[in-house]
Structure formats: C-alpha cells, structure tokens
C-alpha cells in the first residue's frame, strides 16, 4: 500500500511538473516574441511593400487614428524573430499620409497575421497587455490561456514566497509575475525530487506591491536588452 501511495504521489508530482513546464514555455515564447516586436529595425514603406509582394511578411501590427485613419505605427515581421518598422510618425506615402485603406489594399491576398492596436494601451486595466497581444497567428489564445491558468493555480494554492495579494501585484504590475511564479513556486523548478526549500517569511500585500514595481522595471529593461541583442545578431 505504501508503495502504491508513493507511486501515486510521484505520478501527480510528474504531471504537475509537466503542466508547469508547458505553461512556462508558452509564456516565455510569447514574451520573447513581444519583446522582439518592440525592438524593430527601421525600414521604408517601399521595403514593406516589396516584402509583402514577395510574401515574406508573416505578421503586421499597426495603430491608426484621425478622420482619415492615418497609420501612426506600422511594424511587421519576416519570421517570428525579425521585426521591422516605418520610422515616420505618422507613416507617410510620399507627401501624404499612409492610411488603413491603402494598407488593406497593399496586403490584400497575403497570408500575414494582421493585428490592430487600440489607440491607447492598458485597455485591459491592471492586467498586463503582453500575454494578450502576441503578434503571431494563434499565439494569443495560448499565451492568454497560459496566463489565466497560472493565475488560477496561484489563487488556489498557498504560495511559499508571498501571500496571494503579494503575487497578485507581481502578476499585474510586475508584468512577468506569472513567469516568476512558475519558476519558483511551490519550490524552484530546478529542485531535485524530494528536496524542499527551508521555510521563510512570506511577502505580504504591501511588500508584494513594492516588489512588483521593481519587477516591472526589471522586465522592461530585460525586454529592451533582448530586443537590442536580437537587433545586433539578426540585423
């Protein structure tokens, strides 16, 4: 009986580890793509049109505004890791503004995944935007679901490093709290089987709020660093 119970516990532990790793990989992949999409190299409108005509564009992200629906932001990828943008704001087509109507005409018949950004970011409130704005076809479903599943796991568990309020702030203001949670709770992902970290004082809600500000700044710096490195390596 003891052996059977041990096997059941090992089975649950392995299943939990598999789920944890799967959620972590999905969120890390989404975070990487979002970070790279916000560190594009500068290209011209002519180069964008040439890439579209050659069917090299896999994703397009744009932001528009004004009565003429001018484009104020235009980014596109040629593969998930290589991103470009038009440096002018608003985007110009010669002496006039480049509009959504013209963009729609230029990309007609292409296979690119097109994402229109809202005029203002943060429309989801305190919930971070990036898991729900991954500019690759189908990835928003995976990253959004992974973020919510991780949040539910946090709420249903008794975290070791901080209480639920602390983790709430780390998940939201901290931007990458869900990734940190999957790495560290209920024990570090790299811990050996049967190894349990020594108990320690947990962060309360106020401490978690303060820590989330630092984590948010750190995540922004890391995203900028990853984007710059990718630009140097990938051009």
């Amino acid at each position: 009986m003891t052996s059977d119970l041990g096997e059941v516990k090992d089975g649950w532990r392995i299943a939990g580890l598999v789920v944890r790793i799967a959620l972590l990989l999905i969120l890390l992949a989404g975070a990487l793509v979002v970070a790279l999409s916000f560190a594009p190299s500068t290209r011209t409108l002519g180069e964008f049109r040439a890439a579209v005509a050659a069917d090299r564009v896999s994703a397009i992200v744009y932001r528009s505004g004004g009565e003429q629906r001018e484009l104020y932001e235009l980014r596109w990828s040629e593969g998930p890791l290589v991103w470009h943008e038009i440096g002018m704001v608003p985007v110009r087509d010669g002496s006039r503004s480049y509009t959504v109507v013209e963009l729609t005409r230029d990309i007609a018949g292409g296979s690119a995944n097109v994402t229109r950004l809202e005029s203002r970011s943060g429309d989801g409130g305190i919930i971070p935007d990036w898991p729900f704005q991954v500019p690759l076809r189908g990835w928003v479903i995976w990253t959004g679901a992974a973020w919510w599943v991780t949040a539910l796991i946090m709420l249903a568990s008794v975290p070791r490093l901080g209480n639920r309020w602390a983790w709430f702030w780390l998940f939201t203001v901290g931007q990458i709290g869900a990734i940190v949670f999957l790495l560290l709770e209920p024990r570090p992902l790299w811990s050996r089987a049967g190894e349990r970290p020594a108990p320690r004082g947990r962060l309360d809600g106020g401490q978690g709020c303060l820590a989330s500000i630092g984590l948010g700044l750190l995540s922004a710096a890391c995203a900028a660093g990853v984007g710059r490195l990718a630009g140097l390596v990938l051009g």
Side-chain angles (χ1 to χ4, degrees), residues 25-223:
L25 291 177
I26 291 171
L27 290 175
L28 284 174
L32 175 62
V33 171
V34 170
L36 294 178
S37 74
F38 279 99
S41 57
T42 302
R43 293 291 187 271
T44 65
L45 183 58
E47 289 173 312
F48 167 69
R49 284 171 166 159
V52 170
D55 200 25
R56 298 197 309 266
V57 177
S58 56
I60 298 170
V61 177
Y62 75 92
R63 192 190 309 272
S64 63
E67 294 181 1
Q68 302 300 320
R69 298 186 68 194
E70 300 138 319
L71 265 66
Y72 288 90
E73 181 179 351
L74 177 59
R75 287 179 278 134
W76 71 94
S77 70
E78 298 180 22
L81 302 181
V82 181
W83 284 83
H84 308 299
E85 70 171 351
I86 304 295
M88 295 177 293
V89 180
V91 179
R92 308 292 295 181
D93 184 6
S95 60
R96 55 192 177 81
S97 296
Y98 188 56
T99 66
V100 174
V101 172
E102 292 171 304
L103 172 66
T104 303
R105 181 194 63 206
D106 287 342
I107 65 177
S111 58
N113 180 48
V114 181
T115 302
R116 178 182 179 273
L117 298 178
E118 298 298 329
S119 298
R120 295 177 298 174
S121 61
D123 291 335
I126 200 171
I127 295 173
D129 291 332
W130 70 264
F132 310 96
Q133 291 184 353
V134 179
L136 290 180
R137 192 183 305 277
W139 265 97
V140 168
I141 296 175
W142 288 99
T143 53
W147 191 91
W148 279 114
V149 168
T150 305
L152 291 175
I153 292 173
M154 181 271 291
L155 292 173
S157 63
V158 181
R160 175 177 57 91
L161 300 177
N163 64 23
R164 294 184 184 92
W165 272 114
W167 277 110
F168 169 80
W169 292 115
L170 293 169
F171 266 59
T172 53
V173 176
Q175 295 294 317
I176 58 170
I179 292 174
V180 175
F181 181 87
L182 291 169
L183 281 171
L184 299 179
E185 295 283 11
R187 58 184 181 179
L189 194 60
W190 52 88
S191 297
R192 292 175 295 181
E195 182 180 351
R196 297 192 176 278
R200 54 176 298 171
R202 298 195 301 164
L203 297 176
D204 59 26
Q207 293 169 326
C209 184
L210 291 175
S212 71
I213 297 173
L215 184 62
L217 294 174
L218 178 62
S219 64
C222 289

